[in-house]
Amino acid sequence: MTIDFGAKSDAATIVNLTNHALFNMAGEGSPTGIYEQRLTIPATRYTPVDAALIPTGEMKPVAGTVFDFTQGRSLGDGIRDGRDPQIVIGRGWDHNFALDKGVTAAPQLAARLEDPASGRVLEVLSTEPGLQFYSGNFLDGTLIGKSGHVYRMGDGVALEPQKFPDTPNQPAFGSARVEPGTPYRHRMIYRVSVAR
């Protein structure tokens, strides 16, 4: 599925569009939630957040941390690691990853999510430089799914390609400004397959 975002403006304005769909490759209502699924994010840096989940402006290396998805890792491995203050702040992952590919003319891989049990795979491709990864930390059982299942913490993930959050206030993050005559464009692709 391809999503093409576009915006034009007659005055300078800020634009940063994405999609906040939640996915569970084990299937809706899976008793294990997302914890046994494997995520790969081709990013060697991420943007830490403050207590309000707003990026601080810093970029930290993922190597040797629970934020290292460069080789793929199980989501159950690190999602509740209280030794990392960033995991405590977000109640899991709710962080932007600086994709190694940067901004691209054509969509390139931003994330790969796989359920080993079923073999279902979701690949997310994008032209944008960042990926917000949200591990469903604020799903609190008040939402009921299409099959009558209660959605709990960790029952879905969002993989949101975009410019870095808080870019207008963080000069090191680049620009989210759209000028008249220079339209905003962002192409995002969700590609689903089965690895068997």
PDB file of all heavy atoms in Angstrom, residues 40-59:
ATOM      1  N   THR A  40      13.538  -4.725  12.681  1.00  0.00           N
ATOM      2  CA  THR A  40      14.804  -4.200  12.175  1.00  0.00           C
ATOM      3  C   THR A  40      14.576  -2.748  11.769  1.00  0.00           C
ATOM      4  O   THR A  40      13.601  -2.450  11.068  1.00  0.00           O
ATOM      5  CB  THR A  40      15.297  -5.001  10.954  1.00  0.00           C
ATOM      6  OG1 THR A  40      15.391  -6.379  11.316  1.00  0.00           O
ATOM      7  CG2 THR A  40      16.640  -4.500  10.464  1.00  0.00           C
ATOM      8  N   ILE A  41      15.447  -1.861  12.237  1.00  0.00           N
ATOM      9  CA  ILE A  41      15.418  -0.450  11.833  1.00  0.00           C
ATOM     10  C   ILE A  41      16.839  -0.085  11.413  1.00  0.00           C
ATOM     11  O   ILE A  41      17.757  -0.140  12.244  1.00  0.00           O
ATOM     12  CB  ILE A  41      14.960   0.483  12.970  1.00  0.00           C
ATOM     13  CG1 ILE A  41      13.562   0.101  13.470  1.00  0.00           C
ATOM     14  CG2 ILE A  41      14.973   1.941  12.502  1.00  0.00           C
ATOM     15  CD1 ILE A  41      13.105   0.900  14.694  1.00  0.00           C
ATOM     16  N   PRO A  42      17.052   0.295  10.146  1.00  0.00           N
ATOM     17  CA  PRO A  42      18.395   0.647   9.693  1.00  0.00           C
ATOM     18  C   PRO A  42      18.788   2.062  10.141  1.00  0.00           C
ATOM     19  O   PRO A  42      18.817   3.007   9.353  1.00  0.00           O
ATOM     20  CB  PRO A  42      18.300   0.532   8.169  1.00  0.00           C
ATOM     21  CG  PRO A  42      16.853   0.765   7.864  1.00  0.00           C
ATOM     22  CD  PRO A  42      16.082   0.284   9.059  1.00  0.00           C
ATOM     23  N   ALA A  43      19.050   2.193  11.434  1.00  0.00           N
ATOM     24  CA  ALA A  43      19.401   3.489  12.018  1.00  0.00           C
ATOM     25  C   ALA A  43      20.446   3.270  13.100  1.00  0.00           C
ATOM     26  O   ALA A  43      20.230   2.481  14.018  1.00  0.00           O
ATOM     27  CB  ALA A  43      18.159   4.152  12.613  1.00  0.00           C
ATOM     28  N   THR A  44      21.542   3.997  13.023  1.00  0.00           N
ATOM     29  CA  THR A  44      22.597   3.881  14.025  1.00  0.00           C
ATOM     30  C   THR A  44      22.499   4.958  15.095  1.00  0.00           C
ATOM     31  O   THR A  44      23.295   4.976  16.026  1.00  0.00           O
ATOM     32  CB  THR A  44      23.989   3.944  13.354  1.00  0.00           C
ATOM     33  OG1 THR A  44      24.060   5.109  12.528  1.00  0.00           O
ATOM     34  CG2 THR A  44      24.238   2.705  12.507  1.00  0.00           C
ATOM     35  N   ARG A  45      21.485   5.844  14.976  1.00  0.00           N
ATOM     36  CA  ARG A  45      21.278   6.881  15.988  1.00  0.00           C
ATOM     37  C   ARG A  45      19.776   7.055  16.250  1.00  0.00           C
ATOM     38  O   ARG A  45      18.942   6.762  15.383  1.00  0.00           O
ATOM     39  CB  ARG A  45      21.853   8.222  15.527  1.00  0.00           C
ATOM     40  CG  ARG A  45      23.354   8.190  15.318  1.00  0.00           C
ATOM     41  CD  ARG A  45      23.881   9.474  14.723  1.00  0.00           C
ATOM     42  NE  ARG A  45      23.235   9.720  13.450  1.00  0.00           N
ATOM     43  CZ  ARG A  45      23.035  10.919  12.922  1.00  0.00           C
ATOM     44  NH1 ARG A  45      23.438  11.997  13.526  1.00  0.00           N
ATOM     45  NH2 ARG A  45      22.434  11.049  11.757  1.00  0.00           N
ATOM     46  N   TYR A  46      19.461   7.528  17.434  1.00  0.00           N
ATOM     47  CA  TYR A  46      18.079   7.865  17.770  1.00  0.00           C
ATOM     48  C   TYR A  46      18.080   9.198  18.522  1.00  0.00           C
ATOM     49  O   TYR A  46      19.128   9.683  18.950  1.00  0.00           O
ATOM     50  CB  TYR A  46      17.410   6.747  18.584  1.00  0.00           C
ATOM     51  CG  TYR A  46      17.756   6.735  20.060  1.00  0.00           C
ATOM     52  CD1 TYR A  46      16.856   7.230  20.998  1.00  0.00           C
ATOM     53  CD2 TYR A  46      18.972   6.239  20.511  1.00  0.00           C
ATOM     54  CE1 TYR A  46      17.174   7.221  22.351  1.00  0.00           C
ATOM     55  CE2 TYR A  46      19.289   6.220  21.850  1.00  0.00           C
ATOM     56  CZ  TYR A  46      18.394   6.718  22.769  1.00  0.00           C
ATOM     57  OH  TYR A  46      18.711   6.721  24.103  1.00  0.00           O
ATOM     58  N   THR A  47      16.895   9.776  18.686  1.00  0.00           N
ATOM     59  CA  THR A  47      16.786  11.069  19.370  1.00  0.00           C
ATOM     60  C   THR A  47      16.140  10.863  20.740  1.00  0.00           C
ATOM     61  O   THR A  47      14.938  10.600  20.830  1.00  0.00           O
ATOM     62  CB  THR A  47      15.967  12.081  18.533  1.00  0.00           C
ATOM     63  OG1 THR A  47      14.684  11.552  18.245  1.00  0.00           O
ATOM     64  CG2 THR A  47      16.673  12.395  17.223  1.00  0.00           C
ATOM     65  N   PRO A  48      16.923  10.960  21.824  1.00  0.00           N
ATOM     66  CA  PRO A  48      16.362  10.827  23.173  1.00  0.00           C
ATOM     67  C   PRO A  48      15.297  11.885  23.430  1.00  0.00           C
ATOM     68  O   PRO A  48      15.283  12.944  22.788  1.00  0.00           O
ATOM     69  CB  PRO A  48      17.568  11.047  24.088  1.00  0.00           C
ATOM     70  CG  PRO A  48      18.760  10.821  23.233  1.00  0.00           C
ATOM     71  CD  PRO A  48      18.360  11.208  21.847  1.00  0.00           C
ATOM     72  N   VAL A  49      14.414  11.588  24.406  1.00  0.00           N
ATOM     73  CA  VAL A  49      13.301  12.486  24.718  1.00  0.00           C
ATOM     74  C   VAL A  49      13.357  12.941  26.172  1.00  0.00           C
ATOM     75  O   VAL A  49      14.010  12.327  27.011  1.00  0.00           O
ATOM     76  CB  VAL A  49      11.942  11.798  24.438  1.00  0.00           C
ATOM     77  CG1 VAL A  49      11.782  11.499  22.953  1.00  0.00           C
ATOM     78  CG2 VAL A  49      11.786  10.521  25.267  1.00  0.00           C
ATOM     79  N   ASP A  50      12.613  14.027  26.437  1.00  0.00           N
ATOM     80  CA  ASP A  50      12.484  14.502  27.818  1.00  0.00           C
ATOM     81  C   ASP A  50      11.257  13.846  28.455  1.00  0.00           C
ATOM     82  O   ASP A  50      10.628  12.966  27.854  1.00  0.00           O
ATOM     83  CB  ASP A  50      12.425  16.037  27.862  1.00  0.00           C
ATOM     84  CG  ASP A  50      11.209  16.624  27.148  1.00  0.00           C
ATOM     85  OD1 ASP A  50      10.196  15.899  26.917  1.00  0.00           O
ATOM     86  OD2 ASP A  50      11.250  17.828  26.830  1.00  0.00           O
ATOM     87  N   ALA A  51      10.882  14.279  29.637  1.00  0.00           N
ATOM     88  CA  ALA A  51       9.772  13.669  30.378  1.00  0.00           C
ATOM     89  C   ALA A  51       8.428  13.818  29.664  1.00  0.00           C
ATOM     90  O   ALA A  51       7.504  13.057  29.922  1.00  0.00           O
ATOM     91  CB  ALA A  51       9.693  14.269  31.780  1.00  0.00           C
ATOM     92  N   ALA A  52       8.321  14.787  28.749  1.00  0.00           N
ATOM     93  CA  ALA A  52       7.083  14.979  27.977  1.00  0.00           C
ATOM     94  C   ALA A  52       7.147  14.263  26.627  1.00  0.00           C
ATOM     95  O   ALA A  52       6.290  14.468  25.772  1.00  0.00           O
ATOM     96  CB  ALA A  52       6.817  16.471  27.779  1.00  0.00           C
ATOM     97  N   LEU A  53       8.159  13.418  26.425  1.00  0.00           N
ATOM     98  CA  LEU A  53       8.379  12.654  25.198  1.00  0.00           C
ATOM     99  C   LEU A  53       8.716  13.526  23.996  1.00  0.00           C
ATOM    100  O   LEU A  53       8.480  13.152  22.845  1.00  0.00           O
ATOM    101  CB  LEU A  53       7.178  11.735  24.885  1.00  0.00           C
ATOM    102  CG  LEU A  53       6.902  10.652  25.914  1.00  0.00           C
ATOM    103  CD1 LEU A  53       5.633   9.883  25.584  1.00  0.00           C
ATOM    104  CD2 LEU A  53       8.091   9.691  26.004  1.00  0.00           C
ATOM    105  N   ILE A  54       9.292  14.711  24.241  1.00  0.00           N
ATOM    106  CA  ILE A  54       9.740  15.613  23.186  1.00  0.00           C
ATOM    107  C   ILE A  54      11.254  15.430  23.029  1.00  0.00           C
ATOM    108  O   ILE A  54      11.991  15.437  24.021  1.00  0.00           O
ATOM    109  CB  ILE A  54       9.427  17.092  23.543  1.00  0.00           C
ATOM    110  CG1 ILE A  54       7.935  17.274  23.845  1.00  0.00           C
ATOM    111  CG2 ILE A  54       9.900  18.025  22.441  1.00  0.00           C
ATOM    112  CD1 ILE A  54       7.009  16.981  22.696  1.00  0.00           C
ATOM    113  N   PRO A  55      11.736  15.261  21.792  1.00  0.00           N
ATOM    114  CA  PRO A  55      13.179  15.106  21.613  1.00  0.00           C
ATOM    115  C   PRO A  55      13.970  16.265  22.223  1.00  0.00           C
ATOM    116  O   PRO A  55      13.567  17.421  22.145  1.00  0.00           O
ATOM    117  CB  PRO A  55      13.349  15.068  20.089  1.00  0.00           C
ATOM    118  CG  PRO A  55      12.051  14.511  19.598  1.00  0.00           C
ATOM    119  CD  PRO A  55      11.012  15.104  20.517  1.00  0.00           C
ATOM    120  N   THR A  56      15.101  15.921  22.820  1.00  0.00           N
ATOM    121  CA  THR A  56      15.950  16.906  23.495  1.00  0.00           C
ATOM    122  C   THR A  56      16.829  17.682  22.518  1.00  0.00           C
ATOM    123  O   THR A  56      17.420  18.686  22.889  1.00  0.00           O
ATOM    124  CB  THR A  56      16.873  16.212  24.509  1.00  0.00           C
ATOM    125  OG1 THR A  56      17.740  15.316  23.791  1.00  0.00           O
ATOM    126  CG2 THR A  56      16.084  15.458  25.557  1.00  0.00           C
ATOM    127  N   GLY A  57      16.952  17.202  21.272  1.00  0.00           N
ATOM    128  CA  GLY A  57      17.845  17.802  20.290  1.00  0.00           C
ATOM    129  C   GLY A  57      19.131  17.020  20.127  1.00  0.00           C
ATOM    130  O   GLY A  57      19.889  17.215  19.190  1.00  0.00           O
ATOM    131  N   GLU A  58      19.352  16.098  21.034  1.00  0.00           N
ATOM    132  CA  GLU A  58      20.539  15.250  21.004  1.00  0.00           C
ATOM    133  C   GLU A  58      20.304  14.073  20.057  1.00  0.00           C
ATOM    134  O   GLU A  58      19.170  13.666  19.817  1.00  0.00           O
ATOM    135  CB  GLU A  58      20.760  14.748  22.427  1.00  0.00           C
ATOM    136  CG  GLU A  58      21.983  13.946  22.667  1.00  0.00           C
ATOM    137  CD  GLU A  58      22.086  13.481  24.119  1.00  0.00           C
ATOM    138  OE1 GLU A  58      21.116  13.614  24.887  1.00  0.00           O
ATOM    139  OE2 GLU A  58      23.147  12.961  24.450  1.00  0.00           O
ATOM    140  N   MET A  59      21.375  13.528  19.513  1.00  0.00           N
ATOM    141  CA  MET A  59      21.317  12.273  18.770  1.00  0.00           C
ATOM    142  C   MET A  59      22.310  11.336  19.420  1.00  0.00           C
ATOM    143  O   MET A  59      23.475  11.675  19.589  1.00  0.00           O
ATOM    144  CB  MET A  59      21.667  12.485  17.307  1.00  0.00           C
ATOM    145  CG  MET A  59      20.576  13.182  16.551  1.00  0.00           C
ATOM    146  SD  MET A  59      20.508  12.572  14.888  1.00  0.00           S
ATOM    147  CE  MET A  59      20.130  14.074  14.034  1.00  0.00           C
TER     148      MET A  59
END
